[in-house]
Amino acid sequence: MATISRLSTPSHAASVSSTLKPRSAQPKILIGFYRSSDFNAKFSSSKLAVRSNPALRGPLVVKCSHADGNGTPVKRTVLHDLYEKEGQSPWYDNLCRPVTDLLPLIASGVRGVTSNPAIFQKAISSSNAYNDQFRELVQSGKDIEAAYWELVVKDIQDACKLFEPIYDQTNAADGYVSVEVSPRLADETKGTVDAAKWLHKVVDRRNVYIKIPATAACIPSIKDVISLGISVNVTLIFSLSRYEAVIDAYLDGLEASGLNDLSKVTSVASFFVSRVDTLIDKKLEKIGTPEALDLRGKAAVAQAALAYNLYQKKFSGPRWEALVKKGAKKQRLLWASTSVKNPAYSDTLYVAPLIGPDTVSTMPDQALQAFIDHGAVSRTIDSNVSEAEGVYNALEKLGIDWSDVGIQLELEGVDSFKKSFDSLLDTLQEKANSLKLVSL
C-alpha cells in the first residue's frame, strides 16, 4: 500500500527502470486516437495520443474515430477495479472533437469528463474539426466570444449524451461533464452567478457540472448557485482553509435552496495536487538543507490526505444528517492536476496514494495511461494520516507558509486560464478574418 513514507524522492534511474520493468499480471493498454481517414496510418497530431513510452506496446490498442466513430470496445481495466473495489471514480481530464473518441475510454472504466479553458484552447486551436461550425457562426453574424461558447456548448452537450447512462445508473452520482464559466469572472461574485445560470440553461443537460473557481470572490457565488439547484464543480482549490470554505458554501447553498428533495443537486471539490509540489519543491531547493530536500515530492500528497480527513469530519454530525434526510449527497473530493511535472517522480504519484471512497480522480492522458498500465488498486488516502500531518508540520517549521502557497497557486491558476481563454479568442478572431477575406 502506497503511503507518504514511501514517497521519498526517487532517482531518475529508478524511475526509468520501474517504467521498463515487465508486468505480466497487468496487460499493457495503450490508448491512441486516430483520424477516421487514416485509421491504419500514424497517430494524428491533432488528436490525443496516450503513450508514456513509445517502446512499450501491449497487445491491446484502443483506436477511436474509425469508420462510424464508435471506437473499439476495451477489456476490463484497473479503472473498473478502482471504482468497484475502492469507490473512487476515474474521470478523464480532456475533451475534443469528435467526442465519440470518448467511447473506448468509457468502456475502459472512465466515468466522467472535466474540461477547462486551457483544454478548449488546445482542442479548438489545433484541430480542423471546429471549422465548419465556426464558419457558420461567423457568417450568421455571431461575435467571437459568442461563437466560442457555441463551440464549447456543443462539445459539452455531445459528451453529456455519452455519459447519460452512467448518470442514470448511479442515480446522479457519476457521469458528469464539467464546463467552466469564463475565467475573466474569477473576481466577480454576481457575474459568476449570472454566468453559471446562463451556462446551465444553454447546455440544458442533467449531467453537466458548472465549474466555478474557489476564489474569495466566488465562494459566495458557489452558495448562490447551489441554492438554485445547479450542480457545481468547484475548481482551483489549493489549500485546506479554502477547501473548508468551499464545503461550507456547499452546505450553506443546500440549506438555502428550500428544496425538499436535494438528491439531484450535487457537487465536487477539485483539489489540485501536482502544482503544489512544483511550487513547494522550488522553495525546498532554495532552503537547500538535507531535511528540506528530503521533503521534495511529499507536500502535495500530504495536504491531500489532510483534505480527505477534513472531508470526513465536515460531512458528519447533526448539520449534515439533517441535510441527508432531504436526500443531500456529499460534495466529493476530486483530485485534479494529477499529471506528474517532475520526470524523476513516479508517473502515478498523484493517483496511487490518493485512492479512497467517495472521491474522484480526473486524469489527463499521461496519468490515465500510466495508471491503466501499472496502477495498483488499494485504499491509500487515509492509510497514514499521522504521517501526512508530520510532513505538513515539518514544511511549516521550515518556513513554508501554506496559506501563501495556496494564494500564489490560485493566482497563477486563474491567470493561466485567462491567458488560454484570451489566446483562443485571438486565434478565433484570426480565423474569422481569414474567412472574411476568402468570402470577399
Side-chain angles (χ1 to χ4, degrees):
M1 192 179 286
T3 64
I4 292 169
S5 62
R6 295 176 58 188
L7 297 177
S8 57
T9 308
S11 67
H12 181 66
S15 177
V16 172
S17 64
S18 172
T19 303
L20 297 178
K21 182 180 179 181
R23 297 172 177 83
S24 56
Q26 176 68 41
K28 295 183 178 67
I29 300 175
L30 298 177
I31 305 175
F33 294 80
Y34 293 77
R35 296 179 193 268
S36 57
S37 59
D38 59 0
F39 172 66
N40 292 315
K42 62 183 180 179
F43 282 99
S44 162
S45 61
S46 66
K47 291 289 183 284
L48 308 164
V50 184
R51 181 171 289 133
S52 57
N53 188 326
L56 295 175
R57 304 203 176 193
L60 177 59
V61 177
V62 179
K63 302 166 184 176
C64 304
S65 307
H66 64 89
D68 58 1
N70 287 331
T72 303
V74 209
K75 297 177 182 177
R76 182 182 180 86
T77 76
V78 70
L79 299 183
H80 294 102
D81 292 335
L82 190 65
Y83 176 72
E84 293 168 15
K85 294 180 179 179
E86 297 301 336
Q88 183 173 79
S89 297
W91 288 7
Y92 182 49
D93 191 28
N94 206 352
L95 184 59
C96 69
R97 294 186 185 181
V99 297
T100 47
D101 282 353
L102 293 168
L103 287 171
L105 291 174
I106 294 172
S108 73
V110 167
R111 306 180 63 80
V113 163
T114 47
S115 68
N116 60 47
I119 285 172
F120 278 116
Q121 192 273 335
K122 182 179 179 182
I124 296 173
S125 64
S126 64
S127 170
N128 293 326
Y130 297 85
N131 286 2
D132 289 344
Q133 185 189 1
F134 182 64
R135 183 182 297 107
E136 292 175 4
L137 292 168
V138 171
Q139 290 174 346
S140 69
K142 294 280 185 182
D143 65 50
I144 297 302
E145 189 165 347
Y148 161 81
W149 284 112
E150 294 219 17
L151 297 176
V152 167
V153 166
K154 176 169 172 51
D155 278 5
I156 298 298
Q157 289 175 329
D158 291 346
C160 280
K161 186 68 177 176
L162 297 183
F163 282 93
E164 264 189 347
I166 295 174
Y167 176 86
D168 290 331
Q169 291 160 12
T170 59
N171 190 27
D174 256 330
Y176 288 93
V177 180
S178 297
V179 58
E180 192 158 345
V181 298
S182 170
R184 292 173 173 173
L185 300 171
D187 296 319
E188 297 182 27
T189 303
K190 185 179 183 302
T192 295
V193 174
D194 292 342
K197 288 163 60 178
W198 173 82
L199 200 48
H200 182 260
K201 182 178 180 180
V202 295
V203 173
D204 192 27
R205 295 294 184 271
R206 297 174 299 151
N207 56 326
V208 65
Y209 263 143
I210 306 302
K211 289 181 81 172
I212 296 175
T215 57
C218 289
I219 293 296
S221 309
I222 296 162
K223 173 195 169 181
D224 291 348
V225 173
I226 289 292
S227 73
L228 295 170
I230 296 173
S231 295
V232 174
N233 177 342
V234 184
T235 188
L236 295 178
I237 305 172
F238 295 99
S239 68
L240 295 176
S241 58
R242 187 55 56 86
Y243 173 47
E244 185 166 17
V246 166
I247 297 175
D248 288 337
Y250 176 60
L251 298 175
D252 290 343
L254 291 177
E255 291 168 341
S257 70
L259 295 172
N260 291 321
D261 179 11
L262 296 171
S263 62
K264 300 302 184 192
V265 188
T266 70
S267 181
V268 291
S270 295
F271 203 98
F272 279 56
V273 193
S274 68
R275 295 187 192 185
V276 173
D277 273 345
T278 300
L279 177 56
I280 289 184
D281 280 1
K282 290 178 182 176
K283 293 178 179 292
L284 292 171
E285 287 165 4
K286 189 173 181 180
I287 295 170
T289 64
E291 181 187 8
L293 296 178
D294 187 54
L295 288 169
R296 287 176 299 177
K298 297 180 181 179
V301 170
Q303 184 178 228
L306 298 182
Y308 188 74
N309 193 43
L310 178 60
Y311 158 83
Q312 291 175 308
K313 290 177 180 177
K314 296 288 285 189
F315 288 99
S316 63
R319 183 187 187 189
W320 175 241
E321 291 305 321
L323 289 168
V324 170
K325 290 178 181 177
K326 293 185 176 183
K329 294 176 179 175
K330 295 176 181 177
Q331 180 188 54
R332 290 187 296 172
L333 259 171
L334 180 150
W335 309 122
S337 183
T338 54
S339 61
V340 175
K341 308 295 191 293
N342 187 334
Y345 295 163
S346 164
D347 53 7
T348 60
L349 175 59
Y350 303 115
V351 181
L354 302 179
I355 297 173
D358 299 322
T359 59
V360 178
S361 180
T362 188
M363 295 172 265
D365 300 326
Q366 284 183 316
L368 182 68
Q369 170 55 32
F371 194 74
I372 288 176
D373 181 57
H374 50 268
V377 173
S378 63
R379 180 166 175 163
T380 53
I381 182 60
D382 50 4
S383 60
N384 204 330
V385 177
S386 62
E387 192 161 353
E389 290 172 342
V391 170
Y392 192 90
N393 293 334
L395 288 162
E396 280 189 325
K397 288 179 182 177
L398 287 172
I400 304 294
D401 188 316
W402 284 96
S403 178
D404 287 347
V405 167
I407 291 170
Q408 182 177 337
L409 289 172
E410 179 185 294
L411 290 171
E412 290 175 358
V414 170
D415 186 57
S416 174
F417 284 165
K418 282 180 180 178
K419 286 179 179 177
S420 294
F421 186 76
D422 292 342
S423 174
L424 179 53
L425 294 185
D426 289 342
T427 299
L428 291 177
Q429 184 63 63
E430 290 172 6
K431 282 190 176 185
N433 293 341
S434 298
L435 289 173
K436 290 174 183 176
L437 287 173
V438 170
S439 63
L440 288 171

